[in-house]
Amino acid sequence: MEQESRLSERIADSILSMITVEKRFLPGSKLPNENILSEELKVSRTTLREAIRILATGGILEIRRGRGTFVREDFMLPQSEELSPLSSAKVNARDLYEMRLIFEPEAAFYAALRATEEEIQRILSLGREIEERIRRQEDRTDLEQAFHRSIAKATHNEFMNQLMPIIYEGIHKGVRLSSASGEAVQATLVDHKILMDFLQARNAEGARNAMRIHILHAMEQLPLESI
């Protein structure tokens, strides 16, 4: 019973991260239904319900009978006032990608070493969803951002999480540009698969190199100076 309680608390933390770190669910938005969310998080619906109850008790979620579970309208997302001037700065795409090249390979390295099993499964789930959207030729910006945020979160380094908003614009621009380049899209599919395999194997050096190659491919294939 104690082990189940700890699992529920970890799942509650994962859902909270979807709200506060990934910004996947904003105040007032509805969470996916139990079947979808429990499958994504790889837990039973009983564990998921307990995690939701924990967050509802904490004033983060609201259960509306017959309608589903929502992020409370009055829930205030944490802000990083110190970094906000940087995140709103006008910088070119090449600068953003150079920053990603410095930052994200190390995030992948530490994520491979420190991620919980739930965090690894979340990264893999997001990666598979990205593949599906690419194959359906649908916009994947939100999932790409969530994928890279989930890797940063798995480092268990709070400053890395605080830095992530600075590079969201780079991810957004990269997705927009790659949509017009079949070569870049195919590289994303291959690069993500290699990165996911290394993370699943807990191979930190492999994950670091895979992330570095992924970003270098983007810098080579995308017309960064044109935006």
Side-chain angles (χ1 to χ4, degrees), residues 2-70:
E2 183 180 352
Q3 186 175 1
E4 289 181 8
S5 176
R6 287 200 299 268
L7 178 57
S8 296
E9 289 171 0
R10 290 203 302 271
I11 295 303
D13 182 63
S14 293
I15 296 171
L16 182 60
S17 175
M18 292 178 187
I19 298 167
T20 61
V21 177
E22 297 177 20
K23 305 294 192 297
R24 182 174 168 187
F25 308 117
L26 299 176
S29 64
K30 183 180 179 181
L31 268 59
N33 68 42
E34 279 188 1
N35 289 336
I36 293 174
L37 199 52
S38 62
E39 173 63 25
E40 178 178 337
L41 294 168
K42 305 299 181 188
V43 294
S44 69
R45 285 186 292 174
T46 300
T47 299
L48 176 63
R49 287 176 194 144
E50 177 59 21
I52 287 173
R53 187 194 65 77
I54 291 169
L55 294 174
T57 301
I60 297 160
L61 296 180
E62 178 182 5
I63 302 168
R64 302 177 188 173
R65 191 172 300 278
R67 296 184 58 195
T69 303
F70 294 76

Side-chain angles (χ1 to χ4, degrees), residues 90-207:
K90 298 293 184 183
V91 292
N92 65 43
R94 181 160 295 279
D95 287 348
L96 286 165
Y97 268 81
E98 285 179 356
M99 180 178 175
R100 291 186 66 186
L101 190 60
I102 294 167
F103 171 71
E104 292 194 77
E106 298 308 310
F109 177 88
Y110 286 109
L113 293 177
R114 299 173 179 171
T116 66
E117 187 57 33
E118 290 86 355
E119 287 169 337
I120 291 291
Q121 291 304 318
R122 169 120 184 91
I123 293 166
L124 299 180
S125 176
L126 287 166
R128 288 190 290 267
E129 287 186 64
I130 289 168
E131 291 174 7
E132 286 302 312
R133 287 206 189 173
I134 287 175
R135 292 193 172 95
R136 294 196 300 265
Q137 297 184 323
E138 296 175 355
D139 180 68
R140 65 183 194 276
T141 304
D142 59 333
L143 288 178
E144 285 278 3
Q145 291 179 346
F147 179 77
H148 288 273
R149 277 192 296 257
S150 64
I151 292 172
K153 177 180 180 292
T155 67
H156 295 264
N157 181 311
E158 185 55 35
F159 195 65
M160 282 192 179
N161 286 319
Q162 294 297 328
L163 280 172
M164 280 306 291
I166 302 173
I167 65 173
Y168 293 163
E169 186 179 351
I171 295 172
H172 176 73
K173 287 183 176 181
V175 171
R176 180 161 53 84
L177 285 171
S178 69
S179 298
S181 169
E183 184 181 359
V185 169
Q186 288 305 309
T188 295
L189 283 170
V190 174
D191 292 350
H192 275 199
K193 180 66 168 61
I194 295 170
L195 174 60
M196 290 158 62
D197 287 345
F198 278 126
L199 287 170
Q200 189 170 26
R202 305 286 184 164
N203 185 325
E205 283 293 347

Side-chain angles (χ1 to χ4, degrees), residues 85-86 91 216:
L86 288 174
V91 292
L216 284 172

